[in-house]
Amino acid sequence: VWDGETGSVIIVGEGLTAVFDGAELLVNDTVYTVTPAPVLIYDTTYLPVRVLEYFGASVEWRQMDKSVWITY
């Protein structure tokens, strides 16, 4: 969810709360720096796919077919 008042992205799930504030990602009580930072373009928020790693997913780039594989 985009919070226009604070300019942050908020994700709430089972046992998880994450807040993106610029390049900083707060997952529960731990702060990470995310590169590149999330961006808002025409009312759509884009996050780098690697942020899924902070939620327990595995993200793999496959050069052979230029695809991203996500395992959770």
Side-chain angles (χ1 to χ4, degrees):
V1 174
W2 174 257
D3 183 342
E5 288 184 23
T6 64
S8 59
V9 177
I10 302 167
I11 299 172
V12 178
E14 187 174 318
L16 174 82
T17 299
V19 178
F20 290 91
D21 186 7
E24 288 192 344
L25 167 62
L26 174 65
V27 179
N28 293 334
D29 292 323
T30 306
V31 176
Y32 302 96
T33 299
V34 177
T35 306
V39 295
L40 179 65
I41 301 173
Y42 299 114
D43 296 326
T44 300
T45 304
Y46 294 91
L47 306 172
V49 71
R50 288 249 176 233
V51 302
L52 295 173
E53 294 173 328
Y54 298 111
F55 302 101
S58 171
V59 177
E60 179 184 351
W61 171 252
R62 297 206 177 171
Q63 181 63 34
M64 184 175 75
D65 58 356
K66 295 184 175 25
S67 63
V68 176
W69 286 58
I70 301 167
T71 308
Y72 186 74

